[in-house]
Amino acid sequence: MARIIVVTSGKGGVGKTTTSAAIAMGLAKKGHKTAVIDFDVGLRNLDLIMGCERRVVYDLVNVINGEATLNQALIRDKRCNQLYILPASQTRDKDALTIEGVGKVLEELAKDFKYVVCDSPAGIEKGATLAMYFADDAFVVTNPEVSSVRDSDRMLGILASKSKRAENNEEPIKEYLLLTRYSPDRVKLGEMLSVEDVQEILSLHLLGVIPESKSVLNASNSGIPVILDEKSDAGQAYDDVVARYLGEDRPHRFIDEEKKGLFGKLFRSK
Amino acid sequence: MSTEPQHTPYQKPALEFKSTTYSVPVLIPYTHDLTVIEHQLQQKINQAPEFFRNSPILIDLQELNKQSTSLNVAECIGLLRKLALLPIGIRGGLNDQNEAALALDIPKISAQQNISHQETAQKLEKITPEPESEPETPEQPITRLVTQPVRSGQRVYAHGDLIVLAQVSAGAEIMAEGNIHVYGILRGRALAGIQGNTEARIFCSDLQAELISIAGNYKISEDLDESVRNKPVQIYLNDLALIIQDL
């Protein structure tokens, strides 16, 4: 049976799709057969970030409506043969998704895959609630600012009460905090909430901190999941996140300011 | 009253008597005209059929007998049973009324610890619009325990006291008819004594609430004194004024 992971946040623009692409690639690179599904019907993005937008034939809604089989719709990643992408439909809206349809697709994927990553749309409406309904684990993506933290808190409430696990009184969804677009310099200046602030408000297990980085935008623009950019800080941070999720014990990085070199120190000490 | 059967090979008592108190709907007829009663009762039942189906009911004749009109008890019990109500007692009846009831296995219940009629009537009115409440469960206040964080957008309601062992996030709302205890940080809204109990109190280990209220008297975050913020406090009502006191 596959483990179903939902990447969610409530608020938009915090890095859900970037995170979905990165961790799906990370899991696949470790040899686990992984599928990543775009639930943002009508505002399809994941295929761009994954760099497979020119290979989309069928999508999630086609599969739900029985117009295509799952195998026809799944796109195999060219860089990693353990990774498959199920894109969203751009010409439909979220009403095309049904709980039965999504359940059937996930059930079929679960037979064959080790991990299924669900990239949730923003908001708390149908697309988002369906993306998390069947989840086993939830990655709650949060930016270090108050409105994102409040929306994540709201999402955690929905995860705890409106999922399949909650409705069947099963073990609740495992929730992990992923703090993205983190900038230690700005935290020091008091312009951003610190890791401790966010954890105090959400009281949630911290899976990783992804630093604000130019490499993320570059990676998105070129359709390469940022985790493949091994030299970049964000890529390394996502690599840590995947390793920690799989049970490895790695210390948190990118939380403190970068150490200045000797020259930096000399020039700074005025 | 409840009995507890025990099947053991030892010489243990086979039963035990205990006493219990619970609320039952009380029917207070104001007329001896059974057709009028049936008509109006049917209307009430139609509002909440699930609540009334097989509900135990007590017949109170004190009010009616003051008017020196006499109700045919046997016919009244027959009527109630026809409407799927289960009369379990009669009070305030005259001797012949009590006997007529007893003949139908309905016991006489002493009318001494009566609450005033008005209150009883109000009580019945109050229960009626809530068809979801189970008639079988005794309506004693039940303490509700919450061990998980109450997240933004979530609402928790307790018919009795409410105890929250985790934090209450900003944007969350906790309500109780009795007291509220929060052993994490209270950042959301807390409303105690929500049905008007002015004796209810709020206790919390760290007050950062958006709003606190007891029996409808409330204070918003902006009105909270800095001296009580981020501190363990209790909140109670004194002459309709909210008092916030260090613990």
Side-chain angles (χ1 to χ4, degrees):
Chain A
M1 276 301 279
R3 197 91 189 150
I4 298 172
I5 303 169
V6 62
V7 178
T8 187
S9 70
K11 195 173 184 299
V14 295
K16 283 182 296 299
T17 303
T18 302
T19 300
S20 301
I23 60 164
M25 179 61 85
L27 289 166
K29 266 180 45 184
K30 299 237 179 213
H32 304 294
K33 196 172 179 192
T34 304
V36 54
I37 309 177
D38 191 350
F39 273 82
D40 207 346
V41 178
L43 292 168
R44 174 179 107 192
N45 277 164
L46 181 70
D47 51 328
L48 287 172
I49 310 281
M50 297 295 300
C52 64
E53 75 277 9
R54 290 196 289 182
R55 297 164 61 207
V56 175
V57 184
Y58 295 111
D59 55 53
L60 175 62
V61 174
N62 291 137
V63 179
I64 286 176
N65 291 345
E67 295 150 4
T69 66
L70 199 50
N71 283 333
Q72 285 175 307
L74 283 171
I75 303 169
R76 178 189 279 212
D77 190 87
K78 281 187 172 165
R79 292 150 297 207
C80 179
N81 60 10
Q82 294 287 347
L83 180 61
Y84 291 79
I85 299 116
L86 182 55
S89 171
Q90 182 71 347
T91 53
R92 313 292 276 271
D93 60 31
K94 266 104 185 155
D95 292 333
L97 298 175
T98 59
I99 199 157
E100 299 82 19
V102 172
K104 241 175 68 191
V105 170
L106 287 175
E107 198 181 316
E108 211 178 321
L109 283 172
K111 288 182 203 152
D112 210 23
F113 286 84
K114 185 82 188 293
Y115 293 101
V116 179
V117 179
C118 301
D119 179 23
S120 169
I124 52 172
E125 278 76 39
K126 200 172 180 187
T129 47
L130 279 179
M132 64 99 205
Y133 184 77
F134 296 96
D136 302 305
D137 300 314
F139 286 20
V140 179
V141 182
T142 307
N143 286 169
E145 49 102 12
V146 283
S147 62
S148 173
V149 172
R150 163 113 20 130
D151 289 359
S152 293
D153 196 50
R154 178 87 169 93
M155 205 63 222
L156 286 163
I158 296 172
L159 284 168
S161 57
K162 292 196 180 139
S163 67
K164 187 178 164 207
R165 281 172 174 264
E167 282 174 11
N168 294 348
N169 262 330
E170 292 167 39
E171 196 190 323
I173 295 177
K174 272 212 187 86
E175 300 155 341
Y176 301 96
L177 175 63
L178 214 63
L179 204 53
T180 54
R181 309 193 67 168
Y182 194 75
S183 164
D185 296 341
R186 298 189 66 187
V187 171
K188 204 181 175 197
L189 291 170
E191 296 173 353
M192 248 184 202
L193 296 175
S194 69
V195 179
E196 292 77 26
D197 293 337
V198 177
Q199 270 199 289
E200 208 226 5
I201 298 173
L202 292 179
S203 50
L204 206 59
H205 178 73
L206 179 71
L207 197 61
V209 176
I210 315 295
E212 172 84 43
S213 167
K214 281 181 194 145
S215 58
V216 172
L217 194 59
N218 290 339
S220 296
N221 288 338
S222 50
I224 302 164
V226 68
I227 198 168
L228 294 176
D229 185 356
E230 285 159 15
K231 289 201 184 74
S232 75
D233 45 2
Q236 292 173 20
Y238 274 118
D239 194 58
D240 285 356
V241 165
V242 172
R244 280 190 208 108
Y245 173 71
L246 293 173
E248 236 179 271
D249 192 18
R250 287 197 190 175
H252 284 287
R253 294 193 276 170
F254 314 110
I255 291 178
D256 297 318
E257 274 179 291
E258 249 175 87
K259 298 273 185 298
K260 294 277 193 292
L262 183 60
F263 279 102
K265 271 182 191 158
L266 284 175
F267 286 114
R268 222 163 36 128
S269 55
K270 283 176 189 170
Chain B
M1 296 214 178
S2 75
T3 56
E4 288 182 359
Q6 288 181 330
H7 306 282
T8 48
Y10 310 107
Q11 284 292 39
K12 285 197 173 169
L15 55 83
E16 186 182 358
F17 274 108
K18 281 186 175 173
S19 85
T20 174
T21 319
Y22 61 98
S23 315
V24 259
V26 180
L27 179 78
I28 306 164
Y30 290 125
T31 168
H32 65 278
D33 188 346
L34 283 169
T35 34
V36 177
I37 291 179
E38 177 173 13
H39 179 67
Q40 295 193 1
L41 195 55
Q42 187 65 59
Q43 280 183 339
K44 276 255 183 274
I45 290 173
N46 288 344
Q47 288 172 5
E50 280 310 315
F51 175 78
F52 282 106
R53 183 169 303 138
N54 297 334
S55 166
I57 193 157
L58 186 69
I59 308 166
D60 189 329
L61 295 175
Q62 238 169 16
E63 199 66 27
L64 191 61
N65 287 336
K66 276 185 201 159
Q67 305 168 10
S68 69
T69 54
S70 153
L71 179 83
N72 186 328
V73 171
E75 274 177 26
C76 179
I77 289 168
L79 167 69
L80 292 178
R81 287 182 174 159
K82 195 180 90 187
L83 295 173
L85 292 164
L86 299 171
I88 55 156
I90 177 169
R91 77 176 174 200
L94 306 169
N95 273 340
D96 58 322
Q97 289 175 324
N98 292 343
E99 274 169 30
L102 198 57
L104 291 164
D105 296 330
I106 304 294
K108 181 185 98 177
I109 289 175
S110 91
Q112 281 165 358
Q113 6 69 302
N114 268 4
I115 335 161
S116 82
H117 287 291
Q118 229 172 354
E119 266 179 38
T120 330
Q122 273 175 356
K123 217 172 183 178
L124 187 59
E125 283 297 323
K126 247 188 206 166
I127 327 174
T128 331
E130 289 174 38
E132 70 266 30
S133 62
E134 295 277 320
E136 291 84 11
T137 48
E139 287 178 36
Q140 278 168 355
I142 298 155
T143 300
R144 185 162 175 194
L145 178 70
V146 177
T147 55
Q148 295 295 315
V150 185
R151 301 286 185 186
S152 184
Q154 287 185 317
R155 305 177 87 191
V156 177
Y157 190 99
H159 289 285
D161 285 3
L162 176 63
I163 301 173
V164 182
L165 293 178
Q167 63 172 355
V168 178
S169 293
E173 198 166 62
I174 54 173
M175 293 162 283
E177 289 172 22
N179 305 306
I180 291 178
H181 305 253
V182 180
Y183 294 98
I185 301 172
L186 172 59
R187 292 197 180 91
R189 295 161 166 250
L191 299 93
I194 200 157
Q195 296 283 358
N197 179 6
T198 51
E199 297 296 308
R201 293 185 177 207
I202 299 172
F203 305 86
C204 71
S205 58
D206 189 342
L207 179 69
Q208 303 180 17
E210 291 174 336
L211 180 143
I212 44 169
S213 160
I214 292 172
N217 302 277
Y218 69 91
K219 243 183 197 174
I220 54 172
S221 175
E222 211 175 64
D223 299 337
L224 291 182
D225 202 87
E226 282 305 318
S227 63
V228 292
R229 210 181 278 275
N230 304 343
K231 281 199 184 130
V233 294
Q234 66 159 326
I235 300 151
Y236 58 93
L237 212 51
N238 189 6
D239 285 339
L240 296 183
L242 276 183
I243 310 292
I244 305 176
Q245 203 175 60
D246 280 14
L247 275 180

